[in-house]
Amino acid sequence: MQIMSRSDVRSLGLTALIISFCLGFATASQAETSDSSPSLQPFSKLQQKASSSVLSPGKIRLGGSTALGLADGINAGTDLLPLLAGAPNLWVKRPVYSDATQSLTLGLEAFTVSRASLLWGAEKDSVAQLRYSAFHPRLIYTHRQSDRLLLHAVWEGGREWGHIQLSEKGKAEQARGGQATSFSHQSILLQSLLGFSQERFEVSGEWVRSPRETLVLSAHVARFRLENLYAQRIGLQLAQQWQGPSLGFRLGIGSLFQDLDGETLAGERVSSGRILPTAECDIFLLLP
């Protein structure tokens, strides 16, 4: 029998916390589901790759997560930040089941990055060889607790392959006292930005405060691997979204605990945990 590690226990604890928090919102909501509206389906206002919401055919979302509505409920898009960092990416999603209280959406995403495509000069100068590709299936489940509260569960797996090797400058940077662990944390954060998580599970509660205001509380656990360096992460974030007919933006703050174990790219043994702040800012347009 496999014994859960301390990180697994923390992950389960956070998941239970977010579920309890969301259920509390559902209990407090005054707009409960009634038999008079059985046809009302769960509809998320979070129009992005890891949400159950889809754009209607021909509609475009321009923002950090850019998407286009195609026929038969299919959405295709790209994430702007990885693209600007030099990692071309493409994702698609499509609802496969929906009733009055729940929906299931399937997604698929592909990434690639190389030293030639990497646009960040500081990171580019630190590596002599870099080539990575990723292929990620995604499963999105949404349950409508009430007319104002949706619960989401997102699982993402997949496979990554490639190779990274430090340049002489990168090796010199890691040889400095105290720099190896910091450099490793930064490398994992960059890998996270580019989308190369080995596995990720997220639970979130979406509370519709008004037709234009949505509050989102989310918790996630994720695993990463960079050569012989392994990382586990637990994160929590609170975000507020304002959305009009054609313009919207979302602001969020949170924190994450990142635990590293293994060997750095320079071959140094490292075992380190660190709490890091997180922030989110997304401005988007809905066209036409």
Side-chain angles (χ1 to χ4, degrees), residues 100-250:
T101 59
Q102 58 191 344
S103 69
L104 184 65
T105 304
L106 298 182
L108 190 62
E109 185 172 16
F111 282 84
T112 185
V113 65
S114 67
R115 190 180 186 280
S117 69
L118 193 63
L119 301 180
W120 289 9
E123 294 290 341
K124 191 170 185 176
D125 294 341
S126 298
V127 296
Q129 297 181 24
L130 172 62
R131 58 181 186 280
Y132 259 91
S133 298
F135 185 74
H136 292 173
R138 184 175 292 113
L139 182 65
I140 307 162
Y141 173 76
T142 295
H143 189 275
R144 181 167 63 87
Q145 292 292 121
S146 72
D147 292 347
R148 298 172 59 193
L149 178 65
L150 299 176
L151 297 182
H152 307 285
V154 182
W155 172 85
E156 178 180 323
R159 184 175 183 270
E160 301 79 26
W161 58 91
H163 176 66
I164 181 171
Q165 180 179 331
L166 290 178
S167 64
E168 293 301 322
K169 178 181 178 181
K171 293 178 181 178
E173 289 176 345
Q174 286 211 35
R176 297 172 189 168
Q179 291 298 311
T181 301
S182 178
F183 184 87
S184 298
H185 276 286
Q186 292 173 8
S187 299
I188 293 295
L189 288 175
L190 176 61
Q191 188 183 23
S192 172
L193 171 64
L194 299 181
F196 293 99
S197 62
Q198 283 190 305
E199 189 171 18
R200 178 185 174 96
F201 178 73
E202 179 174 317
V203 179
S204 61
E206 177 184 350
W207 182 35
V208 181
R209 301 179 61 191
S210 73
R212 294 192 177 188
E213 296 179 85
T214 304
L215 187 68
V216 183
L217 179 63
S218 59
H220 77 270
V221 293
R223 295 189 302 171
F224 298 85
R225 179 182 177 182
L226 186 62
E227 296 295 322
N228 294 321
L229 182 64
Y230 300 85
Q232 297 188 68
R233 172 183 297 175
I234 302 173
L236 183 67
Q237 179 174 279
L238 180 65
Q240 171 80 45
Q241 176 175 287
W242 294 264
Q243 180 177 326
S246 59
L247 175 66
F249 65 96
R250 183 166 62 249

